[in-house]
Amino acid sequence: MRKFTVREEFLALKPYVPGYSIDEIQQKYGLAQVIKMASNENALGVSPLVREAVIRHAASVFRYPQDGSPRLVAALAALHAVPPERVVTGNGSNEIIDLMLRMLVVPGRNSIVCCAPCFSIYTIQGQIAGAEIRRVPLSEDFSFNFDGMLASVDDDTRLVFVTTPDNPSGYCPPRAAVRAFADRLAAKAPDCLLVVDEAYMDFADNEQEASLLAARDLPDNAAFLRTFSKSWGMAGLRLGYCVLPPELASLFCRARMPFSVNLLAEEAGLAALSDSAFREVILQTTREGRDSLARGLVCMGCAVWPSAANFLLFKPQVPAGACFEFLLKKGIIIRPLDSYGLPEHLRVSIGNPQENAAFLAAMRAAVSGTSRS
Ligand SMILES: *Cc1c(COP(=O)(O)O)cnc(C)c1O
């Protein structure tokens, strides 16, 4: 067999571990119905306006979209009251993370700093970009060790990643703490970009209070990532965006793949932004579901961490792996966290009220069933 010489970074790569899909579990266990609460997708599905937009524009997909999705950029700039020169869109925020890493990191020379555990795309794409990856453990309660992160930064550090609310814990630091960290980072490493990943920020009870972006307090060394994959209900269409310093935005636009935001994603994004009624319902439903799931899990003796996101981190009194498998057999997919280095914890995405009830019922059985065996 032919042997190819591949960059070492690729040989060492551990792939991203996604949650199981509904099809996979239906087939494996011969189940008619499967509930997925594993990937933090929107609990109420697609907005009717988004669905209409996709159908309405289906006949246009033989055309290339407008490069850089300028209409969507204008709408997002208006949403956040920032100049459009500061907004870029991407094929999911993951694409933006990847390109920012490649834009700022010189392979073999620069480092990035992120937490352990953290969203694995930062470290996987960081590794591909040839960055040295410095990981700072979260505190015991899953809060950020900002001092430790700052201590890990030196003159060659190009990016620092902070996820707020954090995945997988749901932890959300006060916005003043993020601002203070940005300022200390600017003083220590003027050339380093703070990437604040706000993928779940709109689920916070008070977005204004929790988000620098929502409060329109933008440090000049910070980039803010948002996504249409969660609250906007468009994970399958792949659309994300970033509010970042204008000079980086301009370089970003030069370097990115042409047309990476596809025509349907742009139209769907515009439609989603226009559907404020659907949005109110999803945010309300998610917050209520989060409270009732947390209460239910605590009643069963699980440890549950406070979450500002559309998921909960919890630790059952029975082994997490057995609990996860038990739920799978009942047709409920949640997320084991071995790949995050948390084998004793589980993460469940907030579902709709029926899904939440089914999950709690199955958990009750799991907690009593698995502890007996
Ligand atoms: C889900 C998620 C995203 C979204 O990624 P997309 O590529 O926009 O789907 C980004 N950051 C974190 C931490 C996430 O959990």
Side-chain angles (χ1 to χ4, degrees):
M1 254 226 294
R2 182 180 292 277
K3 193 110 173 61
F4 294 96
T5 307
V6 182
R7 278 176 55 200
E8 250 169 67
E9 289 91 340
F10 283 72
L11 297 175
L13 219 51
K14 287 205 202 94
Y16 176 72
V17 186
Y20 282 122
S21 75
I22 291 182
D23 285 350
E24 256 173 299
I25 297 308
Q26 270 179 333
Q27 281 183 4
K28 187 166 170 196
Y29 296 99
L31 294 162
Q33 216 205 329
V34 168
I35 294 173
K36 185 181 177 203
M37 301 168 85
S39 302
N40 306 336
E41 293 140 337
N42 194 311
L44 299 182
V46 186
S47 135
L49 296 194
V50 168
R51 204 181 302 200
E52 275 171 35
V54 169
I55 293 167
R56 191 157 13 96
H57 292 278
S60 307
V61 298
F62 72 105
R63 298 276 184 212
Y64 282 108
Q66 230 180 329
D67 192 30
S69 29
R71 285 180 305 141
L72 184 58
V73 164
L76 291 168
L79 176 70
H80 292 294
V82 295
E85 293 74 33
R86 294 190 69 136
V87 180
V88 300
T89 53
N91 190 277
S93 44
N94 289 348
E95 186 194 31
I96 302 175
I97 293 166
D98 177 61
L99 186 51
M100 284 205 292
L101 281 160
R102 288 189 291 133
M103 188 160 74
L104 297 176
V105 168
V106 178
R109 179 179 325 154
N110 293 131
S111 61
I112 65 169
V113 169
C114 50
C115 297
C118 71
F119 187 47
S120 56
I121 297 297
Y122 314 146
T123 56
I124 296 172
Q125 301 316 123
Q127 200 179 339
I128 291 173
E132 179 204 333
I133 295 160
R134 299 186 178 168
R135 305 197 66 183
V136 181
L138 296 173
S139 311
E140 196 83 21
D141 61 355
F142 292 102
S143 66
F144 298 127
N145 177 2
F146 283 125
D147 290 339
M149 293 174 82
L150 200 65
S152 303
V153 169
D154 63 25
D155 289 344
D156 290 323
T157 306
R158 287 289 170 270
L159 299 112
V160 175
F161 287 92
V162 167
T163 317
T164 174
D166 199 12
N167 180 6
S169 73
Y171 168 76
C172 186
R175 115 185 163 226
V178 181
R179 175 79 222 197
F181 179 63
D183 294 341
R184 289 166 75 202
L185 181 66
K188 182 172 183 189
D191 209 16
C192 181
L193 181 71
L194 173 62
V195 180
V196 184
D197 187 343
E198 295 194 343
Y200 301 99
M201 187 53 96
D202 34 12
F203 295 113
D205 283 323
N206 189 335
E207 188 183 341
Q208 290 282 333
E209 234 160 65
S211 163
L212 290 173
L213 179 60
R216 308 204 173 126
D217 177 13
L218 306 183
D220 63 7
N221 60 338
F224 294 86
L225 284 168
R226 295 267 179 136
T227 180
F228 280 82
S229 297
K230 311 286 159 58
S231 62
W232 300 101
M234 289 173 37
L237 274 172
R238 313 302 303 126
L239 183 61
Y241 63 97
C242 186
V243 176
L244 72 174
E247 64 275 31
L248 289 182
S250 146
L251 288 171
F252 183 99
C253 291
R254 269 196 252 167
R256 73 155 152 237
M257 281 293 177
F259 318 117
S260 69
V261 171
N262 73 71
L263 187 146
L264 293 180
E266 181 177 18
E267 295 297 347
L270 286 163
L273 290 173
S274 75
D275 197 350
S276 45
F278 182 79
R279 185 153 179 81
E280 274 316 302
V281 177
I282 183 67
L283 295 181
Q284 196 57 31
T285 307
T286 305
R287 290 174 191 141
E288 284 167 13
R290 183 170 66 202
D291 289 347
S292 79
L293 280 192
R295 261 182 276 118
L297 286 169
V298 167
C299 281
M300 288 170 225
C302 299
V304 182
W305 279 263
S307 169
N310 66 339
F311 53 82
L312 288 170
L313 177 76
F314 68 100
K315 189 167 158 185
Q317 281 180 326
V318 296
C323 185
F324 168 73
E325 294 290 338
F326 184 94
L327 293 178
L328 262 193
K329 286 183 196 134
K330 297 225 172 272
I332 298 173
I333 314 173
I334 63 168
R335 188 69 177 255
L337 296 172
D338 308 71
S339 67
Y340 285 85
L342 298 170
E344 294 174 0
H345 295 69
L346 294 166
R347 191 190 71 193
V348 60
S349 309
I350 312 305
N352 64 36
Q354 295 78 10
E355 291 169 332
N356 293 341
F359 164 75
L360 286 177
M363 269 302 294
R364 261 176 234 116
V367 169
S368 50
T370 35
S371 61
R372 255 187 266 118
S373 62

